[in-house]
Amino acid sequence: MDPSVGLKQQLVSHLKGGEAFMPIEEMLEKIPFSETGKRPADLPYSFYELFCHIRFTQKDILNYCTLKDYSAPAWPDAYWPKEQAPKDEAEWEEVKTNYVQEREELANLIISPEKNLLQPVPSGKHNFFREVLLVIEHTSYHSGQLLILLRHLGLHSS
């Protein structure tokens, strides 16, 4: 058996959460739509803003790893939503669905037998392994902030 298979499976496990941080799906179950745009305790972001940022960054890194003609969005403006809350529940559901689908696309790429983790991404600047770790690190960092928001909103206790 290829020794990278176990490593790939572990990366996917970390990508989905639950190893060192609460899976985002559990946090999404805790937040009612009516609370997604609130900024409690003078925090500079809402649950919606943070989640959209996580989703956008994950999608951006996925694009970076797969597109030959990748062009980086403008930092930081493109990486954060312009609105504090979704316009309606349909938009909120779409953001959540896109996040899970794009994460699954990245997971499938990781686990693919043809994918060499040390292979450079199409731009040639970094390898795929580094980019996967970046998604995991970024998601875990902001997942902690999502949990703080849930606590301030009275939706999760420690």
Side-chain angles (χ1 to χ4, degrees):
M1 182 163 111
D2 179 356
S4 70
V5 171
L7 176 61
K8 287 179 172 190
Q9 290 169 339
Q10 192 64 52
L11 284 172
V12 169
S13 183
H14 280 287
L15 178 70
K16 292 183 177 183
E19 295 285 325
F21 58 94
M22 180 187 293
I24 285 183
E25 284 90 332
E26 286 184 32
M27 291 185 216
L28 292 172
E29 289 174 10
K30 292 178 178 278
I31 185 124
F33 174 74
S34 61
E35 303 292 303
T36 58
K38 292 183 179 177
R39 292 179 175 172
D42 294 324
L43 291 171
Y45 40 71
S46 66
F47 192 96
Y48 172 77
E49 289 168 296
L50 274 173
F51 183 68
C52 285
H53 173 69
I54 292 168
R55 185 252 159 173
F56 185 91
T57 303
Q58 174 183 261
K59 176 65 174 169
D60 180 49
I61 294 172
L62 179 60
N63 288 341
Y64 180 70
C65 290
T66 58
L67 302 176
K68 291 183 194 280
D69 61 346
Y70 172 82
S71 178
W75 172 260
D77 295 338
Y79 288 81
W80 291 91
K82 296 191 183 343
E83 302 299 326
Q84 185 175 324
K87 65 180 176 193
D88 55 33
E89 288 189 52
E91 179 187 346
W92 178 232
E93 291 303 318
E94 181 180 358
V95 171
K96 294 188 297 183
T97 297
N98 288 340
Y99 169 80
V100 172
Q101 287 175 346
E102 292 155 2
R103 188 187 63 192
E104 195 60 30
E105 188 178 337
L106 183 56
N108 288 337
L109 192 58
I110 292 167
I111 211 76
S112 168
E114 300 83 34
K115 190 61 161 173
N116 177 343
L117 295 174
L118 300 179
Q119 174 183 359
V121 296
S123 71
K125 289 180 90 175
H126 301 104
N127 66 39
F128 182 64
F129 183 69
R130 181 240 189 222
E131 296 307 312
V132 170
L133 290 179
L134 189 59
V135 172
I136 293 167
E137 179 181 22
H138 183 263
T139 300
S140 66
Y141 174 81
H142 287 300
S143 291
Q145 293 174 319
L146 288 175
L147 196 57
I148 289 169
L149 276 166
L150 289 174
R151 287 178 175 157
H152 280 293
L153 292 167
L155 300 170
H156 181 75
S157 61
S158 13

